[in-house]
Amino acid sequence: MTTDIETSMVDASKPAGSVPSPVARAKWKRARFGIAVLATQALVLAALLVVWERATPKGSPAAFMFGSPSAIAGFLVQMAQDGSLWRDAAVTGTETLLGFFMGNLVGTLLGLSLWYSRFVSRVVEPFVIALGSIPIIALAPIVIIWFGTGLVSKVAMSTLSVVIVALVTSYKGAVGVDGDQIYLMKTLGASKFQIFRKLVIPASLTDIFAGLKLTVGFALIGAIVGEFMSSSEGLGHAIFKAGSLYIIPKVFAALVVTIVLALVLTWLVGKIERLLMPWRRRA
């Protein structure tokens, strides 16, 4: 009994902040998990690079066919020093951002607006499927004829690559709203526009942002395909030129820059998602 009393007195004498709160423990647990994930990813990447480097010794046929990490790094340094890396990345990044923004804006607005009329959505459904089934590269000659060979044609290609995916994902989110919640708002006297603004749009954000993350890659593909067809700068032009000269390490160097660009854009979309959807920060 005396021991219990002494233990209670010792516990009571401890500062209140010395015991981590459940929230602090949860944050520390998430931080440790994130560190473990990053460390594992770094180890996997390092192992792959070591195996790749050892499998492609300098002067071997494998080095010519697949390049090597050291040769790719050398071209990255060379491209950075002569400025082509930053110039090409800026050109492709601008085309990708413009196409990403315009395609998602148009596609999301159309997808959400189809919620207003089930009849209209059924009418346009086969047309959306037909447009979505067209390979983007097949549209490149037409886009060049319509918009020329400058920036506008690349942005148009990027936009066309994005718009159908954005439309489908936003429409899926809109029609997936719980019918009971819609009925409840109707019984409370809410108009259709109020239901759309206060229920449908917020409930669709999860699908919309999933589509945004997906369309980052599509926007990049559209921009690079446009650069393949006709351009004098950009990552697509660098890849096409290096490939035509059989400089495989330089092709991979441009691909590395493309991957980094995609990762940065995806990270930005995630930041915007956490800003607009704070309730998902702990997910």
Side-chain angles (χ1 to χ4, degrees), residues 51-275:
V51 172
W52 187 0
E53 183 70 27
R54 292 180 66 88
T56 54
K58 188 175 181 179
S60 66
F64 173 78
M65 292 294 295
F66 303 104
S68 65
S70 58
I72 294 170
F75 275 105
L76 284 172
V77 172
Q78 178 185 333
M79 292 165 66
Q81 290 176 344
D82 64 22
S84 61
L85 186 150
W86 316 113
R87 183 172 61 253
D88 291 337
V91 169
T92 303
T94 301
E95 296 164 355
T96 301
L97 279 174
L98 291 173
F100 175 80
F101 176 76
M102 294 178 62
N104 277 292
L105 178 64
V106 174
T108 300
L109 289 177
L110 289 175
L112 290 176
S113 64
L114 288 177
W115 174 84
Y116 264 89
S117 174
R118 183 61 59 88
F119 175 78
V120 174
S121 66
R122 289 293 180 86
V123 170
V124 302
E125 181 178 354
F127 298 101
V128 171
I129 295 174
L131 291 174
S133 64
I134 300 175
I136 188 63
I137 195 171
L139 297 175
I142 302 174
V143 170
I144 290 174
I145 293 173
W146 288 347
F147 301 106
T149 58
L151 174 67
V152 177
S153 63
K154 280 71 172 180
V155 174
M157 288 290 293
S158 183
T159 301
L160 291 172
S161 301
V162 167
V163 66
I164 298 298
V165 178
L167 188 155
V168 171
T169 53
S170 59
Y171 177 69
K172 175 180 174 294
V175 298
V177 177
D178 189 356
D180 292 336
Q181 294 180 352
I182 295 176
Y183 180 75
L184 176 62
M185 291 193 69
K186 285 181 178 179
T187 58
L188 295 175
S191 64
K192 194 166 187 178
F193 178 73
Q194 288 175 323
I195 295 173
F196 178 74
R197 183 169 61 88
K198 296 184 178 181
L199 176 61
V200 174
I201 293 178
S204 304
L205 285 177
T206 300
D207 291 280
I208 290 172
F209 275 102
L212 288 174
K213 293 176 182 178
L214 181 63
T215 53
V216 166
F218 285 98
L220 260 174
I221 290 171
I224 289 178
V225 167
E227 291 172 351
F228 277 172
M229 299 301 295
S230 64
S231 66
S232 58
E233 53 188 355
L235 294 173
H237 172 72
I239 293 170
F240 180 79
K241 184 177 179 180
S244 63
L245 297 174
Y246 301 101
I247 309 175
I248 305 303
K250 191 170 183 179
V251 172
F252 278 112
L255 287 175
V256 168
V257 181
T258 304
I259 292 170
V260 171
L261 185 60
L263 291 176
V264 170
L265 292 176
T266 304
W267 177 80
L268 288 175
V269 171
K271 284 292 185 181
I272 297 172
E273 179 183 15
R274 285 189 288 273
L275 180 65

Side-chain angles (χ1 to χ4, degrees), residues 3-26:
T3 304
D4 294 339
I5 294 174
E6 291 176 350
T7 303
S8 300
M9 293 177 64
V10 170
D11 292 339
S13 64
K14 292 181 179 180
S18 62
V19 179
S21 66
V23 174
R25 287 197 298 268

